[in-house]
Amino acid sequence: MAGLRESILRTSLELFEQKGFHGVTVNQIVAASNTSKGGFYHHFQSKDELLFVIHDTFITYVLKEANAANEIHKSPIKKIQSIIKAFVKVFDLYKPHISVFYQESNYLKPEYEEQIKRKRDAFKQMVFQVIEEGQETGDFRKELPMEITGMAILGMVNWIYKWYTPKGKYTIDEIADVYVDIILHALLTTNVVSEENFQAHMLERPFFTEKK
Amino acid sequence: MAGLRESILRTSLELFEQKGFHGVTVNQIVAASNTSKGGFYHHFQSKDELLFVIHDTFITYVLKEANAANEIHKSPIKKIQSIIKAFVKVFDLYKPHISVFYQESNYLKPEYEEQIKRKRDAFKQMVFQVIEEGQETGDFRKELPMEITGMAILGMVNWIYKWYTPKGKYTIDEIADVYVDIILHALLTTNVVSEENFQAHMLERPFFTEKK
DNA sequence: CAATACAGACCAACCAGTCGGTCTCTCAAA
DNA sequence: TTTGAGAGACCGACTGGTTGGTCTGTATTG
């Protein structure tokens, strides 16, 4: 039998996603994991710690991915594409985590909340940073207020957890393509967009464009 | 003394926003509203009904506003602006409602959930509809998949509830201006954007552009 | 023989909802 | 004008069920 701890994490995640953190009792988790109260409390201090662990694994992963994406490229145009693509793809891997994360984050106990908040802020700052860079280099339109634009992007992507399903009409990569396209069209200065070499700025050719 | 029912709604809303639906007991609501268990259950069948009422007043309002915005204009370009502006502004009026709505909507009892879902879907369909129209008239880029684009817009706006505060750096109208600008730049066909009469399509001049 | 991993009966706290009762206001009969 | 009956608004002690968490005991592993 594989690690009980992992098993508890997996099953509780499913349950939380369906019914919410408060809609699931420890007894239900225990039953679904084929274990007992003792088993559960051997691995977790409390139900709240379980919630924290779910939050933390996800946010840690996102932060790491985004950092990597950020470091690979130098130009802000490519940085933002890279970050967005990585960010969107995370929803394919961690959708249940993310759902629980955003639905129940204000039930986190203060001691846990602070740790999560720090990582979340780091991620946000990174996005802001890239936008600012792009405005300084002249790639992004300077008239857009950085904070509002940043939150628009974050919101757009984060909302994916509300509607994305792997069985849906579009794959996560296709969604990422469209999001990158939307954001670039919104951010890039008009002369960059209107030039026919818009494509030259793309990391990859988006799925919805034809090859000539 | 003003209506107790309204008083309960107001105070419970504040409490829910701070601590979440499950973080607040009926006794706390009752205490904060200067009433009693009896008073509460005289006006509401259950705590769940209270949650429903909060959801419903908000979603009903949004739907009404969007419908109005949709009917005033004929061109898709103006329709989408109008809808987005109305939609964004709602966050100024109903932020607590919306926070509770999005955080706790999966705790709604089935009988309530259906009613809410119907109205929410109607709103979503309206946005999809306008995008499709715009693509047919040639104003919006046809290569963007309608569903993904629609969800991107909805996500962008909906996320406002996570960060907007009336005391913030930007007013709700300024945020609305930026969002309209971002979305139009993303949607409009390049020849429409690059034409210097981009401004001609705007319902109003955004706050961040200079008058000449 | 430790030490770790798990089992499951048990408990104390909590919480939504109930229920018998009171207070006040209205309106019509006397 | 007085009375009194009825209805709606509100009170608050109480309850029955649930839930997170504990504790003692047992199996297994090294």
Side-chain angles (χ1 to χ4, degrees):
Chain A
M1 176 66 66
L4 177 60
R5 186 187 157 96
E6 297 310 313
S7 166
I8 291 175
L9 275 172
R10 256 185 302 116
T11 54
S12 65
L13 206 43
E14 276 178 40
L15 292 173
F16 288 159
E17 196 189 9
Q18 286 169 35
K19 311 186 188 183
F21 182 71
H22 295 279
V24 178
T25 70
V26 174
N27 277 319
Q28 288 173 305
I29 295 171
V30 155
S33 310
N34 279 97
T35 180
S36 62
K37 276 288 185 66
F40 180 91
Y41 282 97
H42 180 70
H43 290 288
F44 298 96
Q45 287 188 22
S46 62
K47 196 186 175 191
D48 292 287
E49 195 200 337
L50 176 59
L51 183 60
F52 167 73
V53 171
I54 291 172
H55 280 47
D56 193 62
T57 59
F58 148 67
I59 192 82
T60 300
Y61 182 86
V62 168
L63 192 55
K64 198 189 67 195
E65 283 297 293
N67 261 317
N70 190 31
E71 283 171 9
I72 294 175
H73 303 284
K74 288 207 67 175
S75 113
I77 302 183
K78 294 190 173 163
K79 271 189 184 177
I80 197 96
Q81 286 179 70
S82 178
I83 291 173
I84 290 164
K85 284 209 173 187
F87 190 14
V88 171
K89 281 189 190 173
V90 165
F91 286 79
D92 197 44
L93 276 174
Y94 284 92
K95 195 192 158 208
H97 293 74
I98 300 173
S99 295
V100 175
F101 178 78
Y102 285 123
Q103 304 261 359
E104 320 287 347
S105 54
N106 57 355
Y107 292 117
L108 265 186
K109 292 277 157 64
E111 66 250 47
Y112 296 130
E113 193 186 352
E114 249 185 82
Q115 295 182 57
I116 297 294
K117 186 170 159 26
R118 216 172 305 131
K119 294 183 182 174
R120 199 177 45 194
D121 284 349
F123 179 70
K124 191 175 78 186
Q125 282 311 317
M126 210 168 77
V127 173
F128 282 12
Q129 178 70 37
V130 174
I131 295 175
E132 206 168 27
E133 266 180 53
Q135 290 181 321
E136 281 164 9
T137 61
D139 291 318
F140 298 163
R141 295 191 290 133
K142 289 194 177 65
E143 64 266 32
L144 291 175
M146 183 249 298
E147 297 94 334
I148 300 179
T149 309
M151 292 317 292
I153 294 174
L154 291 178
M156 202 167 125
V157 180
N158 275 322
W159 200 252
I160 291 175
Y161 87 90
K162 287 270 188 188
W163 58 274
Y164 172 69
T165 152
K167 301 176 202 295
K169 187 169 170 185
Y170 297 99
T171 68
I172 200 73
D173 286 304
E174 289 171 346
I175 294 170
D177 276 355
V178 175
Y179 273 42
V180 165
D181 181 90
I182 286 177
I183 291 168
L184 283 187
H185 272 83
L187 289 187
L188 292 175
T189 50
T190 40
N191 60 325
V192 182
V193 178
S194 57
E195 282 170 20
E196 272 314 317
N197 59 3
F198 176 76
Q199 297 264 349
H201 294 288
M202 302 297 280
L203 291 175
E204 302 161 28
R205 181 184 292 273
F207 81 100
F208 52 80
T209 59
E210 313 265 345
K211 291 187 185 174
K212 289 195 180 179
Chain B
M1 178 66 64
L4 177 60
R5 187 186 157 94
E6 297 309 314
S7 166
I8 291 175
L9 276 172
R10 256 185 301 116
T11 54
S12 66
L13 206 43
E14 276 179 40
L15 292 173
F16 287 159
E17 197 190 9
Q18 287 170 34
K19 311 186 188 183
F21 182 70
H22 295 280
V24 178
T25 69
V26 174
N27 277 320
Q28 288 174 305
I29 295 171
V30 154
S33 311
N34 280 99
T35 179
S36 62
K37 272 288 183 67
F40 180 91
Y41 282 96
H42 180 71
H43 290 286
F44 297 96
Q45 286 188 24
S46 62
K47 197 186 172 190
D48 292 286
E49 195 200 337
L50 176 59
L51 182 61
F52 168 73
V53 171
I54 290 172
H55 279 45
D56 193 64
T57 58
F58 149 67
I59 192 82
T60 301
Y61 181 87
V62 168
L63 192 55
K64 199 189 66 194
E65 285 295 294
N67 261 317
N70 190 31
E71 284 171 8
I72 294 176
H73 303 284
K74 288 205 70 175
S75 113
I77 303 183
K78 292 190 176 163
K79 271 189 184 177
I80 197 96
Q81 286 181 69
S82 178
I83 290 174
I84 291 165
K85 284 209 175 186
F87 190 15
V88 172
K89 281 190 190 171
V90 166
F91 287 79
D92 198 43
L93 275 174
Y94 284 92
K95 196 194 157 204
H97 293 73
I98 300 173
S99 295
V100 175
F101 179 78
Y102 284 122
Q103 305 261 358
E104 320 287 346
S105 53
N106 56 356
Y107 293 116
L108 264 187
K109 292 276 155 65
E111 67 249 45
Y112 297 129
E113 192 186 351
E114 250 185 81
Q115 295 182 56
I116 297 294
K117 186 169 159 30
R118 216 173 305 130
K119 294 185 183 175
R120 199 176 45 193
D121 284 349
F123 178 71
K124 191 174 77 182
Q125 283 310 318
M126 210 166 77
V127 173
F128 282 12
Q129 179 70 36
V130 173
I131 294 174
E132 206 167 27
E133 266 182 53
Q135 290 181 322
E136 282 163 8
T137 60
D139 291 318
F140 299 163
R141 295 190 291 133
K142 290 191 176 66
E143 64 266 33
L144 292 175
M146 184 248 296
E147 297 93 336
I148 301 180
T149 310
M151 292 317 290
I153 294 173
L154 291 179
M156 199 167 126
V157 180
N158 275 322
W159 201 253
I160 292 176
Y161 88 89
K162 288 270 190 189
W163 58 274
Y164 171 69
T165 151
K167 301 177 202 292
K169 187 169 169 186
Y170 296 99
T171 67
I172 199 74
D173 285 305
E174 289 170 345
I175 294 169
D177 276 355
V178 175
Y179 274 41
V180 166
D181 181 273
I182 287 177
I183 291 167
L184 283 187
H185 271 83
L187 290 186
L188 292 176
T189 51
T190 40
N191 61 325
V192 181
V193 177
S194 57
E195 281 170 19
E196 271 314 318
N197 60 1
F198 175 77
Q199 297 266 347
H201 294 288
M202 303 296 282
L203 291 175
E204 303 163 27
R205 178 185 294 273
F207 80 99
F208 53 81
T209 60
E210 312 266 344
K211 291 190 186 172
K212 290 194 179 179

